[in-house]
Amino acid sequence: MTMIKPTLLLSVFSLTLGCSLAQAEDWPRWRGPRGDGISMETNIQDKWPADGPRKLWSHKVGIGFASPVAVEGKVYLFTLEGKSERLTCYDAQSGNVIWQQEYQGGWTAASSFPGTRATPWIENGRIYTYGGASDLVARNLADGKELWRTNIFKETGVREALTWGQASSPLIVGDLIYVQNGKGGPVAVAVNKNDGKIAWKAQAVGLGGYAQPVLIDVEGTRQLIVFGGEIVYALNPQTGATIWQQPWETKYEVNATTPVYRDGHLLVTSGYDSGSMMLKVGPAGATKLWEHRGSAGNKHVKSRFQGVILEGDNLYANSEGTLRCMSWPDGKIKWENRAVRLGAGGSIVKAGDKLIALGERGTLYLFKATPEGSEKISELEVAEGDRNWATPLIYNGKLYVKTIDEFICFDIKAQ
């Protein structure tokens, strides 16, 4: 009988684990590596068992609505613990805590949904977070050690936060980090990612919004799109100067859904019966192609703050609780699914023809969703309450779900 040395077994195990992690697509920021809410993982279950996918581990965690992110076998979660904003690094497989770092501060207003909002961004050995009270922080990815911290309000002279706190997930391009601001100051800022210094303040002054900025390319001209509280701005990404602007007022000034751009077309959408608007964007301006509001908006997409997903010429969205598919760019609704109610804060992520949704009341759904229609395949109750607003993460055959006060890992890999 041939004996296999333990060192050889360990080497084989390490190689197997390394190959597994190498095949996993990192998800380093809000809405994933391409910013589109689409996972490229294919080896996931077509249907869940009757009692749901196998639960691998869970942790009680702080409150917040920031979504988990994952890089190189580790998962990161940004939460509010009492009066401190905490960033935690977990081993993606075992759930063991690798490190935790925190600072005093954050969005703690009891009347306006305390907790974290913005999702972290991971890049080149660093992780960046934007807190509910405007603390932008850079940390070492290896141990969470703080490298710098900049309070955007203090640096821009803003005295008042947005009604529901700062929620603009950071956007990093080159050496600059872009985030939105509060009330009465420059609507957005650019910060040098190396030292935390303000690089520029937007020329536009007024009311910031909750949405992540997006960088678009229009016939070779780059524009930073900032979905402010009352206006859609296009800014010069190097200087903050205004290129063009288009009014878009919403009830409670909640413009929070990340804009979507492709081939000269820019979509913005809001909830509270506001609806959607499609702009045709040029190097120096934008023209409104169509707008659906009020009763017209009831038959179109109206996403309150969760991301919408553009795949091909089809846009999938949680439209104030109803799952809808919209034709791009004409805005016609192809289908809607009223069999389930996601609630206005329900989130979605897509992988192939599968769509995973977390309803804001804590029900996890698996759909088949194509341009032709949708079908609910499986569901599982994972939480109670009505503020389960973090978007689930698909990573290496697992599903990571942040509920109001729990972080759960499920095995969804195809057997």
Side-chain angles (χ1 to χ4, degrees), residues 176-238:
L176 297 181
I177 307 173
Y178 304 104
V179 293
Q180 294 215 51
N181 205 356
K183 297 181 179 181
V187 295
V189 299
V191 176
N192 188 299
K193 72 179 184 184
N194 298 307
D195 57 16
K197 307 265 186 211
I198 300 290
W200 56 248
K201 303 172 187 177
Q203 175 187 11
V205 173
L207 182 65
Y210 302 94
Q212 181 191 45
V214 295
L215 188 70
I216 68 175
D217 186 292
V218 187
E219 300 174 25
T221 300
R222 283 187 157 190
Q223 301 179 13
L224 182 73
I225 303 300
V226 175
F227 194 15
E230 300 171 322
I231 297 171
V232 185
Y233 299 95
L235 307 181
N236 182 313
Q238 294 302 315

Side-chain angles (χ1 to χ4, degrees), residues 125-157:
R126 291 186 174 187
I127 183 166
Y128 302 85
T129 58
Y130 189 43
S134 89
D135 286 304
L136 185 63
V137 181
R139 296 183 182 278
N140 269 329
L141 196 60
D143 56 12
K145 181 182 178 182
E146 185 176 305
L147 300 173
W148 54 256
R149 187 190 330 170
T150 301
N151 186 273
I152 301 301
F153 291 170
K154 181 178 179 181
E155 294 299 320
T156 58

Side-chain angles (χ1 to χ4, degrees), residues 8-23 396 413:
L8 179 59
L9 286 173
L10 181 60
S11 299
V12 172
F13 174 77
S14 299
L15 179 61
T16 303
L17 179 61
C19 291
S20 174
L21 291 177
Q23 293 170 359
N396 197 28
K413 184 178 289 185

Side-chain angles (χ1 to χ4, degrees), residues 97-129:
V97 174
I98 297 173
W99 56 255
Q100 284 185 332
Q101 299 284 1
E102 61 187 64
Y103 58 86
Q104 287 284 310
W107 190 252
T108 58
S111 61
S112 51
F113 311 130
T116 54
R117 282 106 164 87
T119 295
W121 182 298
I122 299 172
E123 182 191 72
N124 295 332
R126 291 186 174 187
I127 183 166
Y128 302 85
T129 58

